[in-house]
Amino acid sequence: MVRKDYYEILGVARNASDAEIKSAYRKIALASHPDRNPDDPEAEKRFKEASEAYQVLSDPEKRRIYDTYGHDGLKGQGYQGFSNFEDIFSSMGGIFEEFFNLGGSRRRSGPRRGTDLRYDLELDFEEAVFGVTKEVDIERYATCKRCQGSRMEPDTEAVSCPTCGGAGQVRRNQGFFTLTTTCPHCRGAGKIIQHPCRECNGTGKQIEMSQVSVNIPAGVEDGNRLRVAGKGEGGERGGPVGDLYIFLHVLEHEFFQRRGNDLLAELPVNFCQASLGAEVEVPTLEGKTTVRIPKGTQVGQSIKISGQGVPHIQGYGRGDLIFFVNVAIPKKLNKRQEELLREFIACSPENGRAAKKGKQKESWLDRIRDIALG
């Protein structure tokens, strides 16, 4: 009799991880469980095959033997597989408890933490750089002030659930199993509230609007998230309050760009300023200042003002303000400007060397000088 490959049964690769094997088995077991397919013998067959494959591949030693010697290797170790459904249950009851909730559900009558809330906050560029305090309005479910979250009228008590007898769970037999589920009457609480709080209608919570003050530290960036503890929704049955998470969205600046803690900007200058050097007035986030353009400045050359960038969010120092020079070429020149530029070209060293080359043969000294002068 030819037996199917265990990896093929589960539909996984031979190098599949333990998590992948477990996930594949869970899908097959849930879909082909006999209790869900009472009139389908093929489903029971798939269930048995998958269970046998999982028991081998989930055990490191059995998997090693199977990978090396196949089914025959397992037989040599005394493993014969499953002969009936009872064998499966007795050998794999633990995994069934996890997959099918056979071991009983956890009661939900204890305290539960309140839900966390999200608020999206838009900031101006300067607010993100220097920090700001914002007041935000939050709508949330808070613990009812009348019943303090108990869901009952003050000075009243809950009674034991008649359906589950206070256990919070009910059991029923199905096939070979005893299934334990949450009690549908008390929803796992084990008790029934006969006198719900008239303020919150027995929910233990009330909708309230609250204004929360949020301190935005200097240096935050677009996409940063801030946590405001205890400003989420109220907990249940005495559980703690959730948190409020502020997601920051920073608007772009019309002139500056941010790179880490540095601020970048383009500085347009004219041809004469770049050639002769000059002092020019430039903007910063804190007003205007003056920078020196060195003589012979080239396009793309940077000029840095230290300590005028973005503050470090950890609270020490600031980045730099960096300008990148862009030489603005005039589109229109008057007659006198054109004359001056022609004179400039005529007296430039490059023009003189070109004229000289046209008159006589260039000497080796001229060639060296041309190389040195570029």
Side-chain angles (χ1 to χ4, degrees):
M1 175 181 175
V2 179
R3 304 187 67 180
K4 293 178 64 175
D5 180 74
Y6 286 149
Y7 292 99
E8 181 182 341
I9 291 173
L10 296 182
V12 297
R14 301 194 75 83
N15 61 349
S17 66
D18 291 342
E20 291 172 330
I21 291 173
K22 184 175 183 179
S23 176
Y25 171 62
R26 184 180 190 278
K27 291 179 182 179
I28 297 174
L30 289 173
S32 59
H33 193 285
D35 286 344
R36 296 186 176 185
N37 305 271
D39 300 321
D40 186 356
E42 289 299 318
E44 182 173 344
K45 179 182 177 182
R46 289 193 300 271
F47 186 82
K48 289 180 180 179
E49 288 179 341
S51 298
E52 181 178 321
Y54 178 75
Q55 192 189 50
V56 171
L57 299 184
S58 64
D59 184 303
E61 180 60 19
K62 289 180 182 178
R63 183 178 181 180
R64 184 189 66 79
I65 294 172
Y66 177 73
D67 287 343
T68 305
Y69 305 106
H71 293 288
D72 291 338
L74 293 172
K75 288 181 180 179
Q77 298 295 318
Y79 179 74
Q80 299 294 328
F82 299 134
S83 60
N84 53 52
F85 199 66
E86 288 84 350
D87 286 346
I88 300 176
F89 179 65
S90 61
S91 299
M92 304 182 65
I95 196 68
F96 289 163
E97 289 179 6
E98 179 182 346
F99 288 173
F100 302 109
N101 193 31
L102 303 179
S105 60
R106 182 181 300 173
R107 292 183 59 175
R108 299 180 294 173
S109 57
R112 294 183 63 187
R113 184 178 181 275
T115 303
D116 293 332
L117 296 179
R118 170 177 176 150
Y119 188 94
D120 291 88
L121 180 61
E122 191 173 86
L123 296 176
D124 291 332
F125 192 86
E126 290 86 348
E127 291 176 331
V129 170
F130 298 114
V132 67
T133 298
K134 290 282 191 178
E135 303 293 332
V136 298
D137 294 321
I138 302 295
E139 182 181 82
R140 61 175 184 165
Y141 280 100
T143 302
C144 175
K145 294 180 175 60
R146 179 174 176 82
C147 69
Q148 299 299 313
S150 69
R151 302 185 294 143
M152 299 178 289
E153 273 292 296
D155 301 323
T156 64
E157 295 182 356
V159 299
S160 180
C161 174
T163 302
C164 64
Q169 302 170 342
V170 292
R171 289 187 172 88
R172 59 189 178 88
N173 294 324
Q174 183 173 346
F176 295 100
F177 306 110
T178 297
L179 301 179
T180 304
T181 58
T182 300
C183 175
H185 192 188
C186 66
R187 298 183 179 179
K191 294 182 178 296
I192 300 296
I193 295 175
Q194 294 182 312
H195 304 284
C197 173
R198 63 172 180 266
E199 188 72 27
C200 64
N201 295 320
T203 64
K205 297 181 180 181
Q206 293 175 302
I207 294 180
E208 71 170 23
M209 292 294 299
S210 62
Q211 191 171 72
V212 179
S213 181
V214 182
N215 293 318
I216 310 296
V220 296
E221 296 186 67
D222 183 72
N224 281 169
R225 184 185 72 171
L226 302 178
R227 171 177 168 266
V228 185
K231 295 300 181 181
E233 294 191 342
E236 295 183 9
R237 294 181 285 276
V241 180
D243 298 329
L244 171 65
Y245 287 91
I246 307 293
F247 287 76
L248 303 179
H249 304 277
V250 181
L251 299 176
E252 293 184 356
H253 195 274
E254 60 180 356
F255 186 64
F256 296 108
Q257 291 184 345
R258 180 172 176 175
R259 184 181 65 189
N261 289 309
D262 293 333
L263 292 177
L264 313 179
E266 183 181 284
L267 177 58
V269 299
N270 60 45
F271 168 77
C272 295
Q273 290 172 321
S275 301
L276 303 176
E279 288 189 352
V280 298
E281 191 177 70
V282 294
T284 73
L285 289 179
E286 297 171 272
K288 295 182 178 180
T289 189
T290 301
V291 297
R292 176 69 185 172
I293 306 296
K295 186 177 181 178
T297 295
Q298 302 297 305
V299 174
Q301 188 171 327
S302 63
I303 298 173
K304 181 173 70 174
I305 305 177
S306 299
Q308 287 293 308
V310 180
H312 292 271
I313 198 168
Q314 293 87 354
Y316 59 90
R318 292 176 61 173
D320 301 323
L321 174 56
I322 303 173
F323 290 97
F324 292 93
V325 174
N326 181 21
V327 178
I329 306 299
K331 294 182 179 180
K332 293 183 179 180
L333 298 174
N334 58 39
K335 186 176 181 180
R336 179 55 181 156
Q337 289 172 329
E338 290 182 358
E339 291 175 353
L340 291 173
L341 285 178
R342 289 193 177 94
E343 290 179 15
F344 172 79
I345 294 173
C347 66
S348 65
E350 292 82 1
N351 189 65
R353 291 199 301 273
K356 184 177 180 181
K357 290 176 184 177
K359 292 181 179 180
Q360 62 184 34
K361 185 176 180 181
E362 186 177 31
S363 69
W364 65 271
L365 186 60
D366 291 330
R367 289 198 296 270
I368 293 176
R369 184 169 57 249
D370 288 347
I371 295 172
L373 295 175

